[in-house]
Amino acid sequence: MTRNVLIIPGDGIGIEVMAEARRIVEWLNAHRGTAITLTEGEMGTEVWRRTGVPMSDETIEAAKSADAVLFGAVGGDEIIPRPIRRARGLLALRRAMGLYANLRPVKAYEALLDATSLKERVARGVDLVVLRELSSGVYFGEPRFTETLPSGKRRAVDTQVYTEEEIERIARDAFLLARTRRGQVASVEKSNVMETGRLWRDVVTALHAAEFQDVALRHVLSDNFAMQIIRDPRQFDVVVTDNLFGDLLSDASAMIAGSLGMLPSASLGTADASGRRPALYEPVHGSAPDIAGKGIANPIAAILSVAMMLRHSFGLTADAELVEKAVEAALDGGARTADLYVQGGIQPVTTAGMTKAIMEKLEALAV
Ligand code: NAD
Ligand code: IPM
Ligand code: MN
């Protein structure tokens, strides 16, 4: 059995961190028999310069037929015209693959408690998942346009749209996920102001009453949630929210871990008749133009995304845990990239240096 994975490095540090993810996959193939075949797919600014589109039809087709996609990051160069980006960018790929459920786990590692922006006593032990709706909401709602008014001034319109089916689908995933964890769901919306928020709360409440009364459900208004996640993040287990709130709140939550470079993600679609679920794994961060090319990006978000792929797409739980333990052990051993707080006298490691530290722990833990 071979597992076919399309790897799309993209732009900026996406390229750098995916090179490290590849090294981890190759190690797993050599030592754990994971039988993952990596095929490279092109996407991003350089592809657009060469071909006129940032992502070809072949890449889209390859992504749809692969068992999973590993994705780095795109962006950083705003010169790609917006209509082209909209038709052939990351959002188009998510749409084409039907990826509606975006899992973004946030964990406070003991070794990084001095790197978190919170007090140690607030961050210690945090283990939560932001489940972000990924295929609808204001990212895709119509109408969206910019127009020039008779006054000569411009007006821009975006539209937040959610259907009952879309809300119920992501809410069901949240409840099912909570059953495998601590049995708690916080549903985050702005139902005091927004129509979509009102519908969101109604649908989540009804689904909970009908099928998931064993799970503890809380509704939290998004502004309050933004405060609560900083005040006391340990109160949360599974957090289900819409596309835009999920984007913002997961980046903010990254600082509980200590860096955006720590957060992996899994984006999942609907299972087909054979049970196969379309899946794309990517770090939560972007192409980080401010540090690209310097070899200092933190590869952990990318490497933990490989672990999520092993678990969610291939059921290789032991291998996923091995990778996660190796990351933790490398951090315990003092390896820090520059984005993590580095204490006086300690030299930060490079991107490759962090992977080396993780691979040494893989070797040690695998025996
Ligand atoms: P970003 O996530 O790229 O970077 C934000 C900040 O975090 C920067 O200071 C960066 O140096 C730092 N950072 C991020 N990842 C890091 C890592 N692994 N190691 C060390 N530091 C890290 O966000 P941005 O700067 O707002 O966006 C840059 C470009 O990336 C934009 O074009 C944006 O649209 C795009 N983007 C793409 C994705 C994606 O492909 N999934 C995600 C987010 C942003
Ligand atoms: C992310 C990114 C994307 C998003 C951008 C690059 C379109 O911020 O993956 O979190 O907003 O979804
Ligand atoms: Mn984002």
Side-chain angles (χ1 to χ4, degrees), residues 71 73-75 85 89-91 94 102 104 132 134 139 243-244 246-248 250-251 265 267 282-287:
F71 187 86
V74 286
R85 233 189 313 144
L90 175 59
L91 299 187
R94 289 175 181 163
N102 183 209
R104 299 185 157 189
R132 169 189 178 194
L134 200 63
Y139 276 65
N243 205 340
L244 184 60
D247 185 38
L248 307 184
S250 55
D251 264 38
S265 83
S267 304
E282 61 167 322
V284 168
H285 64 74
S287 57

Side-chain angles (χ1 to χ4, degrees), residues 238-260:
V238 176
V239 178
V240 63
T241 191
D242 75 17
N243 205 340
L244 184 60
F245 289 149
D247 185 38
L248 307 184
L249 297 172
S250 55
D251 264 38
S253 304
M255 290 318 297
I256 301 169
S259 167
L260 190 49

